[in-house]
Amino acid sequence: MIFAVIPAAGSSTRMGRPKLALPLGGRTVLERVIAALRGAGVERVLVVIGPHVAELVPLAQAAGAEALLLAKPTPDMRATVQAGLDHLETTYQPQPDDAWLLVPADHPTLTANIVQRLVQARHASAAHSIVIPTHQGRRGHPALIDWKHVERIRNLPAGTGLNTYLRARAAETLECEIETAEILCDLDTPEDYARLLYGPTHTSGSSSTN
């Protein structure tokens, strides 16, 4: 089985308003991300929602995801993701050969095809337990991770981020080349939003790597 964890507990400081509820192409940003995962056949999609953005709960549920509303804010994304992993482990008892997708909620250019490509790559290479999409040498989103890594992530030292963990496991990681730059697109600022709405001629935008 494949799960997906979407951390949605950020403060959207640079955007200046809750970015996951922004409209984009007839749906909200969060709904677009969930639709891509559901379209790829991901069995369980969990959105981990901060208490300050509780309005995302009905959006997530209407789009076909499960919503986990946190009782208090988390200090960082790793803590948010860990809350989601703990919930999935308790609720569904995943097996070591199951996998989960780490999916940034502010990644509205994600498509079902990209997710399917990662799943196919994982099935084709038993030697790897982490699959990360790349475009022209740059790592993007989402990451597909075998469930056996969950315990290792849980035991990381305080302050160690998920990116640090993933980059330290080169021997276990398969980089899956994607032909388009969609895997690199994050939504952080009003300029990013304008670029997605109107095209790159309106603003240079920004992107970040995994």
Side-chain angles (χ1 to χ4, degrees):
M1 179 176 288
I2 294 179
F3 301 85
V5 176
I6 305 176
S11 57
S12 299
T13 302
R14 284 184 285 173
M15 183 64 69
R17 51 178 167 161
K19 58 185 176 181
L20 303 185
L22 292 173
L24 185 64
R27 288 179 288 188
T28 65
V29 169
L30 180 59
E31 287 171 322
R32 289 176 65 91
V33 174
I34 295 170
L37 294 166
R38 299 294 294 165
V42 177
E43 292 94 337
R44 300 286 181 181
V45 179
L46 176 66
V47 185
V48 187
I49 299 170
H52 59 292
V53 283
E55 66 271 16
L56 296 177
V57 171
L59 285 179
Q61 293 172 334
E66 182 179 352
L68 173 62
L69 181 61
L70 299 174
K72 59 183 180 179
T74 48
D76 51 36
M77 190 184 76
R78 176 187 156 193
T80 303
V81 171
Q82 190 62 61
L85 292 172
D86 291 346
H87 174 81
L88 291 174
E89 199 160 59
T90 299
T91 306
Y92 301 107
Q93 293 83 49
Q95 300 303 303
D97 57 349
D98 289 336
W100 62 285
L101 285 151
L102 173 57
V103 188
D106 59 354
H107 189 47
T109 56
L110 180 66
T111 66
N113 179 63
I114 290 171
V115 176
Q116 290 168 341
R117 290 277 298 276
L118 298 180
V119 173
Q120 290 165 1
R122 175 179 178 259
H123 288 324
S125 182
H128 297 96
S129 55
I130 300 170
V131 183
I132 295 178
T134 60
H135 177 68
Q136 296 181 355
R138 298 176 62 191
R139 286 188 169 196
H141 312 293
L144 179 60
I145 307 165
D146 278 18
W147 197 266
K148 69 180 183 180
H149 289 277
V150 170
E151 186 62 26
R152 302 178 196 174
I153 290 171
R154 181 180 290 116
N155 293 325
L156 287 174
T160 302
L162 293 171
N163 289 346
T164 300
Y165 177 84
L166 294 175
R167 289 191 178 281
R169 275 148 184 83
E172 300 172 76
T173 300
L174 175 65
E175 293 188 342
C176 180
E177 177 67 17
I178 303 296
E179 295 76 15
T180 66
E182 293 169 329
I183 64 163
L184 305 176
C185 180
D186 292 329
L187 179 61
D188 293 322
T189 66
E191 291 76 21
D192 293 339
Y193 184 45
R195 175 171 50 84
L196 288 171
L197 283 175
Y198 307 117
T201 58
H202 286 253
T203 177
S204 60
S206 67
S207 63
S208 63
T209 58
N210 191 12

